[in-house]
Amino acid sequence: MMHPDLTALLITLKLAAITTLILLLIGTPLAWWLARSQWRFKFLIETVIALPLVLPPTVLGFYLLIMLGPNGPLGGLAEALGGRPLAFTFTGLVIGSVFYSLPFVVQPLQNVFTAIGDNVMEQAATLRASPLDRFFNVMVPIARPGFLTAAVLGFAHTIGEFGVVLMIGGNIPGETKVVSIAIYDHVESLEYAQAHILSGGLLLLSFLMLMAVYGLNRRFSVLRS
Amino acid sequence: MSLQVRLNIPRKDFAINVSLTVTSSQITSVFGPSGCGKTSVMRAIAGLENSATGHIQMADEIWQNADFFRPPHQRDIGYVFQDASLFPHLNVFDNLQFGLRRQPRDKRRVSLEQAIELLSLSPLLKRSVDKLSGGEKQRVAIARAVATSPSVLLFDEPLAAVDIQHKQEILRYIQSLHQELDIPMLYVSHAIEEVARLSDNLVLLEKGQQLASGETVDLLSQLNLPFARYEEAAAVIDTEVTGHEDDYGLSLLRFADGPIRVTRGQIPLGHKVRLRILARDVSLTLTRPQDSSILNIFPAVVESMVADGTAMKLVRLNAGGQIILSRVTAKSADKLALKPGMHLYAQVKAVSPLI
């Protein structure tokens, strides 16, 4: 039997990894669209994406709980498809984290896509590169610092989430209990030693990840605004 | 092979209307002040301007018409942009290969080695592009476009970001490309010297409207076009070397009634040369001056004249079939009683061969 704190850590890392992957997949086209679209109501979408930056996580968690529960649209759908309601499951946690960390992935990508501008893409087009070819062989490599920033911020922010998890994940060991909740539990039960280990570990991890972003982005002189 | 273009491009304050043909082995310039719509025309030909309507056809291949639009990556063009911005994540060699690798083998007529050779890029191949000067960047951009073996080369103000010392150098490269490769070229610029030097044909654009089009040599000497009012109003003459005066380091070039002499080094016999004679370097006398230090004096007939401000007049002269321009003060024009049909002598103080 694995130590419950280690289990919590693995769940946290798994949650952050899956969330980051999903966010890169949906965040890239979304950020690309935001960077290129001339639609006049684009700002509304930008506002919605930025909401998790300012909203108390408990508010976000509360609405997600309603949505993911058996009577909510997403939870109901999951049940109709033969699953169980999404609230208090790992899947529910992933959905919640995707919303919660969305701005941390979309915004760096949007910034880097905007900064790169149309010029290189147009050049690539005149050099016979099709739209997908130029996206993957020109835009992505040039935007690498932005992708790195987006991935690390998304990952780190998901690791740090607490309020949303508390609302929709509950505290099921081995399924939804993440490190931040485990720390809370330890403090509640006055187990400061364990709380120290987990907190210190998280602090170190976050520090190292952010340091990697800033350190690596320094090397890419191409795009530093 | 020829590129035929008829375009309408709406813009905020005016619409651009052009109609031009670029035939193989010729350089056609689109000339006009900044903001006249030159760049939009180039972008539309490349397929980068979504609002453009009209008809674009390369040989018998339609690129655009009322119900068809060929996307940019399927148009056989080489586009050299104003700022030469190369792909920053690739070095010079990989930049050069980018377009070439995407061109099917059976369409490749220019080899990579040839493109590198033509633009003298061998020493720069391993260089990262942010370590290049403005002129070097533009050479790489030109070679990158040429390496795709395009059916037409589009130059959009390629010298705009190049420092003054290297402008001549890039122009020479473009000229040699033109001699080596049989690729029609379209050259957009607002610098009259570049246009005068390079182009066979000229399209004059102002606020989107095509004011004139025709042979460069003809248009530049027409008094009713804006060129005549430029400070550097000049006649351009295509000629060739017919002899040398070695003792004096002069070259003799074929000209109407007798050779015109230039001091520019030893240009090989028979070599084609384009001359530019600025209107301000041509003065007029009624009798042939006997004791002048000026070498190039030609009998000429006044064809027409036009006021250039209040103090100056621009005179169009026919010197035995060659048109030259002269700018004189209004006072001198009155003193000499200049009028069309009058015979006189043109003294050419300076001639610049455009090599």
Side-chain angles (χ1 to χ4, degrees):
Chain A
M1 195 60 197
M2 205 183 272
H3 190 282
D5 282 350
L6 199 57
T7 311
L9 181 66
L10 285 181
I11 288 178
T12 306
L13 294 177
K14 187 171 124 193
L15 176 67
I18 293 174
T19 303
T20 306
L21 197 68
I22 293 175
L23 277 174
L24 285 176
L25 288 178
I26 61 175
T28 303
L30 185 59
W32 180 254
W33 177 79
L34 287 171
R36 289 293 176 273
S37 167
Q38 307 282 332
W39 188 46
R40 52 196 291 227
F41 295 113
K42 188 174 80 176
F43 69 94
L44 290 176
I45 309 287
E46 288 175 305
T47 309
V48 171
I49 292 172
L51 269 181
L53 292 175
V54 294
L55 219 52
T58 41
V59 173
L60 188 66
F62 174 66
Y63 285 117
L64 282 167
L65 181 65
I66 306 271
M67 296 246 296
L68 301 177
N71 301 322
L74 285 177
L77 182 71
E79 253 186 340
L81 292 174
R84 49 187 181 129
L86 294 167
F88 309 115
T89 64
F90 183 76
T91 313
L93 223 50
V94 170
I95 296 175
S97 306
V98 164
F99 280 103
Y100 181 60
S101 297
L102 188 62
F104 291 86
V105 171
V106 170
Q107 288 183 351
L109 288 179
Q110 186 185 345
N111 289 343
V112 79
F113 290 154
T114 307
I116 291 171
D118 287 328
N119 199 310
V120 284
M121 292 294 270
E122 289 183 342
Q123 282 180 59
T126 68
L127 292 165
R128 316 289 185 276
S130 67
L132 275 182
D133 179 1
R134 52 191 190 250
F135 184 80
F136 285 108
N137 292 307
V138 176
M139 187 48 85
V140 171
I142 298 177
R144 193 160 59 169
F147 278 99
L148 189 70
T149 306
V152 172
L153 287 184
F155 192 88
H157 188 245
T158 306
I159 287 184
E161 94 185 76
F162 177 74
V164 176
V165 183
L166 200 63
M167 298 293 279
I168 63 169
N171 195 352
I172 307 166
E175 168 136 13
T176 61
K177 186 171 186 171
V178 296
V179 172
S180 57
I181 302 279
I183 295 171
Y184 183 73
D185 280 354
H186 285 314
V187 175
E188 285 271 271
S189 356
L190 298 175
E191 297 160 351
Y192 276 40
Q194 280 97 321
H196 261 304
I197 295 173
L198 280 182
S199 298
L202 223 50
L203 179 67
L204 187 68
L205 184 65
S206 304
F207 176 80
L208 289 177
M209 280 193 300
L210 291 180
M211 191 182 72
V213 172
Y214 287 112
L216 283 173
N217 277 1
R218 196 166 43 91
R219 287 222 322 261
F220 297 108
S221 58
V222 180
L223 258 182
R224 294 200 42 236
S225 40
Chain B
M1 271 205 291
S2 75
L3 173 74
Q4 288 163 295
V5 179
R6 208 174 57 243
L7 279 172
N8 181 287
I9 311 168
R11 288 256 292 246
K12 268 204 190 92
D13 33 352
F14 57 85
I16 300 164
N17 274 300
V18 289
S19 160
L20 57 91
T21 302
V22 188
T23 40
S24 82
S25 73
Q26 291 211 308
I27 303 183
T28 299
S29 286
V30 178
F31 174 82
S34 301
C36 71
K38 307 180 296 280
T39 295
S40 300
V41 171
M42 294 290 258
R43 292 174 53 82
I45 294 172
L48 299 172
E49 197 74 26
N50 290 328
S51 57
T53 56
H55 184 100
I56 304 174
Q57 184 172 354
M58 180 74 218
D60 50 5
E61 190 178 275
I62 306 270
W63 284 0
Q64 184 170 346
N65 62 21
D67 40 38
F68 178 73
F69 182 87
R70 184 183 279 261
H73 65 279
Q74 290 169 7
R75 300 187 185 199
D76 221 358
I77 49 163
Y79 199 128
V80 178
F81 290 80
Q82 233 177 76
D83 55 358
S85 44
L86 303 166
F87 299 128
H89 63 297
L90 301 176
N91 70 10
V92 170
F93 185 72
D94 293 334
N95 262 282
L96 291 177
Q97 276 204 311
F98 189 94
L100 177 78
R101 285 209 332 253
R102 286 162 173 80
Q103 188 75 305
R105 276 180 197 284
D106 57 316
K107 280 194 165 180
R108 297 182 190 171
R109 296 181 308 273
V110 182
S111 67
L112 188 60
E113 293 70 36
Q114 205 179 351
I116 291 169
E117 166 86 38
L118 280 167
L119 277 305
S120 319
L121 292 175
S122 314
L124 303 180
L125 293 179
K126 294 280 165 250
R127 209 69 88 70
S128 128
V129 296
D130 54 4
K131 301 255 172 2
L132 300 176
S133 72
E136 288 169 337
K137 277 185 185 152
Q138 205 51 277
R139 269 158 58 200
V140 175
I142 294 172
R144 187 176 65 171
V146 165
T148 63
S149 310
S151 304
V152 61
L153 265 170
L154 308 175
F155 292 94
D156 184 5
E157 305 239 10
L159 303 187
V162 176
D163 52 276
I164 198 133
Q165 301 98 296
H166 292 101
K167 283 191 171 155
Q168 295 304 316
E169 180 191 299
I170 303 279
L171 282 171
R172 269 196 292 278
Y173 279 116
I174 295 176
Q175 272 178 322
S176 69
L177 279 182
H178 181 231
Q179 281 153 15
E180 298 289 321
L181 311 168
D182 187 21
I183 301 177
M185 300 183 184
L186 196 58
Y187 188 95
V188 154
S189 176
H190 69 270
I192 192 70
E193 318 85 61
E194 295 167 25
V195 168
R197 170 163 174 173
L198 281 178
S199 57
D200 303 298
N201 296 303
L202 181 57
V203 174
L204 174 62
L205 213 57
E206 205 173 277
K207 286 229 163 72
Q209 297 308 304
Q210 197 166 324
L211 283 192
S213 71
E215 287 185 30
T216 307
V217 171
D218 285 347
L219 292 192
L220 288 181
S221 59
Q222 284 186 18
L223 298 189
N224 57 355
L225 293 176
F227 307 118
R229 275 175 291 287
Y230 291 163
E231 171 61 25
E232 326 82 3
V236 165
I237 293 157
D238 283 322
T239 176
E240 63 191 29
V241 181
T242 56
H244 297 292
E245 281 177 7
D246 290 331
D247 296 348
Y248 297 108
L250 295 173
S251 290
L252 276 59
L253 307 173
R254 182 175 47 75
F255 194 72
D257 293 329
I260 193 163
R261 290 171 169 82
V262 300
T263 52
R264 177 80 178 229
Q266 286 286 338
I267 316 168
L269 214 61
H271 201 82
K272 294 214 181 319
V273 177
R274 177 170 273 194
L275 299 177
R276 185 158 176 248
I277 302 178
L278 289 167
R280 62 163 180 256
D281 289 334
V282 177
S283 60
L284 305 174
T285 61
L286 294 181
T287 54
R288 181 183 273 278
Q290 298 303 324
D291 46 6
S292 169
S293 67
I294 290 173
L295 287 175
N296 294 308
I297 300 174
F298 305 101
V301 180
V302 176
E303 275 200 351
S304 55
M305 39 203 280
V306 67
D308 182 11
T310 47
M312 306 300 285
K313 282 206 161 147
L314 201 72
V315 186
R316 182 179 148 106
L317 303 157
N318 185 327
Q322 295 282 8
I323 301 298
I324 47 180
L325 299 178
S326 165
R327 181 182 273 132
V328 295
T329 58
K331 187 179 167 89
S332 310
D334 276 352
K335 206 171 80 187
L336 299 180
L338 294 183
K339 57 177 191 296
M342 194 170 162
H343 289 257
L344 38 62
Y345 292 87
Q347 300 193 92
V348 182
K349 274 178 282 190
V351 183
S352 19
L354 300 171
I355 299 171

